[in-house]
Amino acid sequence: MEPKRLGLDVGNVLVMATQQEALQDDFLLRKPTDNAFETIASLVQEKIFEPENIFIISACGPDTEQKTKQWFRHHRIFHRVGIRSKNWYFVRHRSDKAPVCRALGITHFVDDRLDVLDNIHRESPRTKLFAFNPRSMMMSLAQWQYITVVNNFVELEAKLKTA
């Protein structure tokens, strides 16, 4: 049986900030999304996902990538939650997340953008997809039957433990 592999977006998932906000001078002061670190640590501790099977996958420009890496180091995300520091992937376009997820064998993916989740579904239809507090519902939820909406990390944790 293949191991479960979790992919997590950064902006508006792990940290409540847009790319523009990530470029501001006070970006290191931005706090992680409520319960984000605790949830990931719990998933590792309870062996829902092994540390080597949790990945950060984000679409952003090179400046935001560098600031995001600084933010991760500043907040000690890898040390605090027990995942591997090499498991981060940055792509330049949202549509590029889908091939990365397929190549990594991602079985569960969390993003705030429905278009990203739809692209992943097209490339990897068996991946379990979670819309984290999605900002825009471009279509009715009936058309997104393969996406589970979660509003916070407490809900996400409960869904991932039963997925």
Side-chain angles (χ1 to χ4, degrees):
M1 183 171 156
E2 291 293 315
K4 294 196 300 186
R5 294 174 174 247
L6 175 63
L8 297 160
D9 180 37
V10 177
N12 294 312
V13 176
L14 290 175
V15 60
M16 296 311 284
T18 63
Q19 284 191 43
Q20 292 78 21
E21 292 168 331
L23 292 173
Q24 294 175 356
D25 290 339
D26 66 346
F27 72 98
L28 288 177
L29 300 177
R30 293 204 174 271
K31 298 207 180 306
T33 303
D34 289 344
N35 298 307
F37 288 7
E38 297 83 357
T39 295
I40 298 166
S42 174
L43 293 170
V44 168
Q45 189 173 47
E46 294 182 32
K47 304 227 182 276
I48 306 299
F49 294 92
E50 295 297 327
E52 64 273 11
N53 292 326
I54 299 177
F55 301 86
I56 309 296
I57 303 169
S58 183
C60 60
D63 292 341
T64 303
E65 177 181 339
Q66 291 310 312
K67 293 228 177 187
T68 301
K69 287 178 176 180
Q70 280 183 280
W71 187 87
F72 283 142
R73 287 185 199 103
H74 177 78
H75 289 278
R76 302 176 58 226
I77 184 172
F78 300 108
H79 174 75
R80 289 173 60 185
V81 303
I83 62 176
R84 304 292 187 254
S85 60
K86 65 180 184 182
N87 283 8
W88 57 16
Y89 293 82
F90 291 91
V91 297
R92 298 297 173 240
H93 305 283
R94 288 186 202 111
S95 60
D96 294 336
K97 288 183 178 183
V100 169
C101 287
R102 183 175 31 91
L104 293 171
I106 298 296
T107 59
H108 301 72
F109 192 77
V110 184
D111 205 294
D112 64 313
R113 300 191 59 94
L114 296 175
D115 57 325
V116 169
L117 297 172
D118 189 49
N119 284 337
I120 293 169
H121 176 72
R122 291 170 198 256
E123 285 226 17
S124 305
R126 295 190 314 169
T127 300
K128 293 180 182 197
L129 303 170
F130 299 88
F132 190 88
N133 198 18
R135 292 175 286 144
S136 64
M137 292 290 182
M138 295 174 282
M139 301 174 161
S140 72
L141 281 177
Q143 293 173 298
W144 300 89
Q145 296 173 359
Y146 50 86
I147 295 174
T148 301
V149 175
V150 292
N151 294 303
N152 54 55
F153 271 93
V154 172
E155 286 181 21
L156 178 63
E157 182 176 12
K159 298 284 184 185
L160 288 172
K161 285 182 176 180
T162 60

